[in-house]
């Protein structure tokens, strides 16, 4: 059996049940008493049973009416909660923001921004998904995340790119080791390299090729902490961007900005322009460009 009832009709039945009569219920609903009486009659006609037993002094719910009111309260509660959530969604105060990013950016760049955003939008759910560079962009293209905060090393056709920050590459080396201040000083040095899937590796290899530098024997590691540990053990030197420096500080390494050539990487907000942004996501993007705490050495925010 199909019963096509409206939200106002459900509210009318519940209000009459709570008030015990039409007069006060009509006042609360801002309806004429005759209109409310007709509305209740229409509901009873559609459900096929009497919901109220009319006495000389007040209305009493029939057993069927009591069950109907119980169900109607649940429907109205769910509907009202959904509408409150939707109002918050439209205002950007509720919803879900999904961000893909690189591990170093998830650890250093984003946390202060996320903290400021969370204070202003406490009801918004946030997912920060760290992955390697290619995986981050794949998630944007597949629509698995709303946006990415990642390193951009080449044009990204079909994606919207807004530059956010930059950091400079530095040599890292154990205490007592001759400072690594330029790419030429890496010639012949044992070298701890990031894995080939890392954006750090691609940029470093490009700079070494530009400077016509060939390092000594290499050890590869995918994890930032592993690279730092291998350097600290005296197995070689390495290069990292400025935003990675806090992540290698546990190893007690020294660092120096690299020259000849100086190399910066650009960090950007990347999204698919074909997918509209929800209000909460737009607010998060705005927060990235306004809530800007101090960054580590050799890194900076770019102008909006």
């Amino acid at each position: 059996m199909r019963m096509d009832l409206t939200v106002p009709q459900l509210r009318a039945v519940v209000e009459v049940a709570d008030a015990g009569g039409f007069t006060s219920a009509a006042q609360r609903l801002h309806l004429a008493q005759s209109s409310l009486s007709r509305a209740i009659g229409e509901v009873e006609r559609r459900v096929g049973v009497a919901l109220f037993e009319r006495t000389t002094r007040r209305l009493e719910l029939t057993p069927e009416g009591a069950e109907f009111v119980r169900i109607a309260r649940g429907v109205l509660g769910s509907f009202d909660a959904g509408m409150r959530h939707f109002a918050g969604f439209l205002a950007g105060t509720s919803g879900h923001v999904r961000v893909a990013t690189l591990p170093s950016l998830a650890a250093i760049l984003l946390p202060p921004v996320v903290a400021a955003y969370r204070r202003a939008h406490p009801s918004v759910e946030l997912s920060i998904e760290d992955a390697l560079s290619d995986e981050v962009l794949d998630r944007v293209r597949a629509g698995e995340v709303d946006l990415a905060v990642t390193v951009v090393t080449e044009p990204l056709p079909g994606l919207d790119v807004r530059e956010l920050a930059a950091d400079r590459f530095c040599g890292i080396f154990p205490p007592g080791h001759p400072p690594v201040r330029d790419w030429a000083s890496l010639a012949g040095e044992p070298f701890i390299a990031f894995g080939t899937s890392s954006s750090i590796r691609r940029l470093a290899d490009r700079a070494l090729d530009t400077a016509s530098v060939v390092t000594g024997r290499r050890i590869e590691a995918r994890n930032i902490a592993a690279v730092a540990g291998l350097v600290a053990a005296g197995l070689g030197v390495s290069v990292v961007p400025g935003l990675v420096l806090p992540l290698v500080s546990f190893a007690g390494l020294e660092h120096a900005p690299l020259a000849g050539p100086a190399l910066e990487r650009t960090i950007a907000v990347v999204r698919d322009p074909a997918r509209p942004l929800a209000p909460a996501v737009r607010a998060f993007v705005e927060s990235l460009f306004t809530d800007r705490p101090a960054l580590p050495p050799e890194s900076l925010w770019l102008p909006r």
Side-chain angles (χ1 to χ4, degrees):
M1 178 173 58
R2 180 174 177 178
M3 304 175 189
D4 293 323
L5 298 174
T6 66
V7 169
Q9 286 174 322
L10 297 180
R11 291 197 195 283
V13 173
V14 171
E15 197 63 54
V16 170
D18 289 344
F22 286 105
T23 302
S24 57
Q27 291 173 346
R28 294 179 191 175
L29 293 170
H30 305 290
L31 292 173
Q33 184 172 330
S34 58
S35 297
L36 179 58
S37 180
R38 285 194 299 271
I40 298 299
E42 177 61 18
V43 172
E44 291 179 321
R45 184 189 70 77
R46 292 193 181 189
V47 301
V49 295
L51 302 180
F52 296 96
E53 182 177 336
R54 293 154 176 82
T55 68
T56 55
R57 287 185 294 181
R58 62 178 280 128
L59 292 181
E60 298 288 345
L61 283 168
T62 64
E64 296 83 359
E67 180 64 10
F68 183 91
V69 168
R70 184 189 69 79
I71 295 169
R73 287 191 199 279
V75 172
L76 290 172
S78 178
F79 176 81
D80 291 341
M83 288 299 97
R84 286 193 297 272
H85 174 83
F86 186 61
F89 177 88
L90 294 177
T93 57
S94 67
H96 192 176
V97 179
R98 301 164 301 170
V99 183
T101 190
L102 304 181
S104 60
L105 304 183
I108 303 300
L109 183 75
L110 285 182
V113 177
V114 170
Y117 179 81
R118 174 52 58 84
R119 288 192 293 270
H121 303 81
S123 297
V124 174
E125 294 182 45
L126 281 165
S127 298
I128 308 297
E129 305 174 13
D130 63 299
L132 294 179
S133 178
D134 291 342
E135 297 169 348
V136 164
L137 293 176
D138 287 344
R139 291 181 188 181
V140 172
R141 293 188 176 101
E144 296 173 0
V145 295
D146 299 301
L147 55 92
V149 179
T150 190
V151 172
V152 176
T153 60
E154 57 191 19
L156 299 175
L159 296 178
D160 180 72
V161 177
R162 289 182 64 186
E163 294 185 353
L164 178 66
D167 57 358
R168 185 176 179 180
F169 268 72
C170 301
I172 55 172
F173 44 91
H177 188 282
V180 179
R181 300 187 183 279
D182 54 40
W183 296 92
S185 63
L186 295 169
E189 282 275 359
F191 190 74
I192 311 301
F194 285 84
T196 54
S197 58
S198 167
S199 60
I200 295 175
R201 168 67 175 270
R202 289 196 289 271
L203 288 167
D205 283 353
R206 191 179 304 169
L208 288 167
D209 288 343
T210 299
S212 300
V213 170
V214 178
T215 66
R217 73 177 187 277
R218 289 189 169 204
I219 299 176
E220 288 191 7
R222 171 171 169 161
N223 184 275
I224 292 171
V227 170
L230 292 168
V231 173
L235 296 171
V237 297
S238 191
V239 296
V240 298
L243 285 169
V244 173
L245 290 175
L247 300 178
V248 302
S249 61
F250 74 93
L253 303 177
E254 296 184 4
H255 78 273
L258 286 169
L263 175 64
E264 287 188 349
R265 64 174 188 169
T266 300
I267 297 147
V269 178
V270 180
R271 55 173 293 267
D272 183 349
R275 292 186 172 89
L277 292 181
V281 180
R282 286 200 299 270
F284 183 79
V285 173
E286 182 64 21
S287 185
L288 285 168
F289 289 90
T290 55
D291 297 319
R292 295 185 155 190
L295 292 178
E298 315 307 332
S299 56
L300 74 160
W301 297 105
L302 296 176
R304 296 188 60 178

